């Protein structure tokens, strides 16, 4: 079938955009068609296409190496388990069953098809996606027809020829008049050609199956796919007396694929999955067709338009939908405050289920409420971690102590739910308004574990250390107007141990610790002796 593509603009600056007005008019004219369901379309005797998903489930696993921080849609290192319910009609014998609209980052070897009375023989990931550059690439070496305006006569003429190259510098065209680079004349040109065979408007999984009889079945497709991630973010607001806090949490879902999953049942999994997998090469969504003409940059430059006019309504619709699915320049955040996730156990992992169906949209992130807890009792603790064989490296051997908010993840403290790791913003109330005080990270916390939120360094509490041989002296000065709780934590090198200490010492997480109460405007001193190397 002959195809002519229109709607992609080509300028000498290399920018490829779709006309917003043209797209709006085209989509409005085809609204009834786009809303119709995808049925079992037959392409030959041995080719079947599964229907559109009637139900979708998306379970997102977090990037194991990103415990906090913002999400970059272009660098999502998490993955998802996608499960779809579809209807398919098969003839008896062997057929290629095609699932259109799967995620770009699908791992075809992970695909599982259930519910069919047929055996799976082969699985393929069809990566040739419809785009302007892909259409031109498909036409290389094949006869094409170029429609353009003659610059001398002003008449429209049609020239038969061949596309020689689809290089990044533009399209090289050969006709009886010679070899030329298209779109360097500055006049409108339309390229018509055969050769869209093998191109698809959406990422497709092809499964070769063998059915013993003709059947129509509702089946389930499950597969793993890259290009997803999720994150937890918290806001902690301290009470005026700093004795309690309110804690709110959000779960951010991110989909970096070019495919959306509307009305999906979404879940996220907290914890690290021991998974080894090679990277999946992303689908080539097609790049711009750039006319690098010479000379350039003159005041007489005319914006150059390379037009493609799709004669086929179906091909036109799919091509424009593909143009609309191009990566967005910015992240679009969607907050859904009416929903709140529900926590469940998944082996040693934690699963958080979104109770209502939600759209995991292409190239977007959205937020769903995780928790709202109030009046959580907290204490403020000051402390420092020191190597047992070194002095502080601050100016003059003095370092500021760190501040921490402490509580326990228990129901008695108005918590008692597993808290996935994420980013925490701490606000303090000043003159009746909350102001940002500090931002830090929170690790994965199980129920009944100690919750510790870093509040950053304190210039009012300073630590100085001196060492003579194996004798150590730590001096902590408190310039605040109130007494503070202080923890001195030591990191001893292998082979070293403490043989004497004043005041008495304890242990926490296998490390020596001194728990002190330091009065206002006073200094506390810790002394200890070590033995062994170094």
């Amino acid at each position: 079938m002959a195809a002519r593509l229109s709607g992609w603009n080509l300028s000498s600056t290399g920018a490829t955009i779709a006309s917003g007005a043209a797209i709006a008019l085209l989509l409005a004219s085809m609204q009834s068609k786009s809303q119709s369901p995808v049925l079992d379309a037959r392409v030959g005797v041995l080719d079947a296409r599964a229907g559109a998903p009637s139900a979708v489930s998306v379970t997102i696993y977090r990037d194991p190496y990103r415990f906090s921080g913002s999400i970059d849609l272009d660098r999502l290192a998490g993955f998802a388990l996608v499960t779809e319910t579809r209807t398919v009609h098969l003839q008896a014998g062997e057929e290629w069953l095609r699932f259109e609209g799967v995620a770009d980052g699908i791992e075809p070897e992970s695909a599982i098809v259930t519910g069919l009375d047929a055996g799976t023989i082969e699985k393929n990931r069809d990566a040739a996606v419809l785009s302007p550059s892909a259409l031109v690439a498909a036409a290389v070496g094949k006869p094409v027809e170029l429609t353009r305006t003659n610059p001398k006569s002003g008449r429209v003429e049609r020239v038969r020829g061949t596309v020689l190259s689809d290089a990044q510098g533009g399209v090289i065209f050969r006709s009886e008049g010679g070899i030329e680079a298209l779109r360097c004349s500055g006049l409108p040109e339309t390229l018509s050609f055969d050769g869209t065979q093998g191109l698809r408007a959406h990422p497709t999984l092809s499964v070769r199956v063998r059915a013993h009889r003709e059947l129509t079945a509702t089946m389930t497709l499950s597969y793993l796919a890259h290009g997803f991630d999720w994150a937890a973010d918290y806001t902690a607001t301290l009470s005026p007396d700093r004795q309690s806090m309110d804690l709110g949490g959000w779960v951010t879902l991110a989909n970096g694929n070019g495919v959306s999953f509307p009305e999906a049942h979404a879940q996220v999994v907290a914890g690290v999955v021991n998974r080894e997998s090679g990277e999946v090469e992303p689908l080539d969504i097609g790049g711009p067709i750039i006319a690098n003409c010479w000379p350039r940059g003159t005041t007489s430059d005319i914006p150059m338009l390379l037009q493609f006019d799709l004669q086929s309504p179906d091909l036109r619709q799919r091509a424009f939908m593909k143009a609309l699915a191009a990566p967005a320049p910015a992240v679009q955040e969607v907050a859904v405050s009416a929903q709140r996730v529900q926590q469940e156990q998944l082996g040693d992992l934690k699963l958080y289920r979104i109770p209502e169906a939600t759209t995991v949209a292409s190239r977007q992130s959205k937020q769903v409420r995780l928790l709202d807890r109030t009046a959580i009792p907290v204490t403020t603790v000051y402390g420092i971690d020191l190597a047992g064989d070194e002095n502080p490296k601050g100016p003059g051997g003095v370092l500021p102590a760190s501040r921490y908010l402490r509580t326990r993840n228990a129901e008695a403290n108005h918590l008692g739910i597993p808290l996935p790791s994420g980013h925490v913003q701490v606000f303090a109330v000043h003159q009746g308004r909350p102001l940002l005080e500090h931002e830090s990270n929170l690790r994965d916390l199980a129920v009944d574990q100690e919750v510790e939120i870093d509040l950053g360094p304190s210039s009012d509490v300073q630590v100085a250390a001196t060492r003579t041989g194996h004798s150590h002296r730590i001096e902590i000065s408190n310039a605040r107007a109130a007494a503070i709780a202080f923890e001195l934590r030591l990191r001893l090198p292998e082979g070293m141990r403490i043989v004497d200490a004043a005041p008495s010492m304890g242990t926490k997480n296998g490390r020596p610790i001194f728990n002190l109460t330091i009065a206002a405007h006073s200094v506390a001193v810790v002394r200890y002796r070590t033995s062994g190397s170094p």
Side-chain angles (χ1 to χ4, degrees), residues 48-251:
R49 187 172 66 182
S54 59
V56 181
S57 173
V58 181
T59 303
I60 303 177
Y61 292 77
R62 192 172 51 191
D63 175 7
Y65 301 104
R66 187 196 55 77
F67 297 100
S68 62
S70 60
I71 290 180
D72 185 351
L73 284 178
D74 293 321
R75 296 175 176 84
L76 298 181
F79 65 97
L81 172 63
V82 181
T83 301
E84 302 174 343
T85 301
R86 302 193 184 210
T87 301
V88 62
H89 180 77
L90 295 176
Q91 300 288 345
E94 292 187 6
E95 290 194 81
W96 280 107
L97 177 58
R98 306 193 186 278
F99 299 92
E100 290 190 348
V102 297
D104 305 359
I106 182 175
E107 298 181 10
E109 66 276 10
S110 69
I112 301 175
V113 178
T114 59
L116 286 179
D117 184 17
T120 300
I121 304 172
E122 182 179 337
K123 294 181 288 187
N124 291 297
R125 173 174 174 261
D126 301 338
V129 180
L130 182 66
S131 67
S133 58
L135 284 169
V136 174
V140 172
K142 298 179 180 179
V144 299
E145 183 179 76
L146 180 65
T147 303
R148 62 183 173 187
T149 302
N150 190 307
K152 295 182 180 180
S153 64
R155 297 180 178 177
V156 176
E157 60 181 21
R158 291 177 173 83
V159 180
R160 299 292 296 180
T162 305
V163 174
L164 298 182
S165 172
D166 64 334
Q168 293 183 356
V171 179
I172 307 301
F173 177 72
R174 181 174 62 188
S175 65
E176 293 181 355
I179 299 176
E180 59 182 308
L182 295 187
R183 296 316 312 130
C184 289
S185 65
L187 298 176
E189 293 176 344
T190 299
L191 190 64
S192 303
F193 54 88
D194 298 321
T196 59
Q197 183 179 2
L199 299 179
R200 302 189 181 278
H202 307 285
T204 302
L205 173 70
S206 298
V207 179
R208 189 180 178 190
V209 297
R210 180 184 293 115
H212 301 292
R213 57 183 176 85
E214 182 178 355
L215 59 90
T216 298
T218 300
M219 43 73 61
T220 300
L221 169 66
S222 299
Y223 61 88
L224 298 176
H226 289 279
F228 294 85
D229 204 355
W230 72 274
D233 293 274
Y234 302 91
T235 56
T237 304
L238 290 168
S239 61
D241 61 2
R242 304 180 73 90
Q243 298 299 308
S244 65
M245 70 175 181
D246 297 339
L247 187 65
W250 291 92
V251 169

Side-chain angles (χ1 to χ4, degrees), residues 283-296:
L283 290 178
D284 182 7
I285 62 174
I289 304 174
I290 304 172
N292 289 335
C293 304
W294 185 91
R296 300 175 60 187

Side-chain angles (χ1 to χ4, degrees), residues 346-531:
L346 181 64
D348 289 339
L349 306 175
K350 307 297 180 184
L351 183 141
Y352 298 85
R353 185 186 305 276
I354 299 172
E356 299 177 13
T358 186
T359 296
V360 185
S362 164
R363 299 288 303 172
Q364 289 186 11
S365 64
K366 70 184 307 176
Q367 292 184 325
V368 181
R369 199 62 172 168
L370 172 64
L371 60 89
D372 277 300
R373 299 300 169 94
T374 60
I376 302 170
V378 294
T379 58
T380 301
V381 178
Y382 294 79
I384 195 170
D385 286 277
L386 289 179
D389 58 338
E390 294 180 356
N391 295 334
K393 294 297 190 295
V398 177
L399 283 178
S402 297
R403 297 176 298 151
Y404 304 96
L405 281 179
R406 293 265 183 87
T407 188
R408 185 161 289 279
N409 187 13
E411 292 185 5
N413 291 340
H414 305 162
L415 282 174
I417 62 171
L419 299 175
S421 64
H423 190 69
V424 184
Q425 296 175 323
V426 180
F427 294 85
V429 178
H430 180 73
Q431 296 181 352
R433 298 193 309 172
L435 297 176
L436 180 64
E437 184 172 315
H438 194 71
E439 295 182 79
S440 60
N441 298 325
L442 186 73
R443 64 185 180 88
D444 283 321
L445 294 170
V447 175
D448 206 37
Q449 277 191 307
E450 183 181 70
V451 179
E452 181 177 271
I453 301 176
D454 187 3
L455 293 179
S458 171
S459 58
D460 293 337
V461 182
Q462 302 284 329
V463 180
T466 57
R467 175 186 178 186
T468 303
H470 291 281
S471 298
H472 302 257
R473 183 179 188 273
I474 311 297
E475 185 178 285
I476 306 108
S477 58
N478 175 22
R480 299 183 61 82
I484 62 170
F486 188 88
E487 291 182 353
L488 171 63
R489 298 176 292 269
L490 300 178
R491 302 189 306 272
L492 299 180
E494 186 176 356
M496 177 180 287
R497 61 188 183 92
I498 296 177
V499 294
D500 187 27
S504 59
M505 178 191 70
T507 58
K508 183 178 182 179
N509 297 328
R511 292 172 50 189
I513 185 172
F514 295 87
N515 291 289
L516 309 172
T517 300
I518 306 176
H521 304 293
S522 62
V523 176
V525 177
V526 174
R527 295 182 175 86
Y528 64 91
R529 287 192 306 109
T530 59
S531 66

Side-chain angles (χ1 to χ4, degrees), residues 287-327:
I289 304 174
I290 304 172
N292 289 335
C293 304
W294 185 91
R296 300 175 60 187
T298 65
T299 57
S300 61
D301 281 350
I302 302 174
M304 288 179 283
L305 172 66
L306 178 58
Q307 294 186 340
F308 293 82
D309 186 14
L310 292 182
Q311 294 178 338
S312 166
D314 180 63
L315 188 58
R316 184 189 299 118
Q317 177 185 3
R318 292 189 294 168
F320 271 105
M321 293 306 295
K322 185 61 186 178
L324 289 178

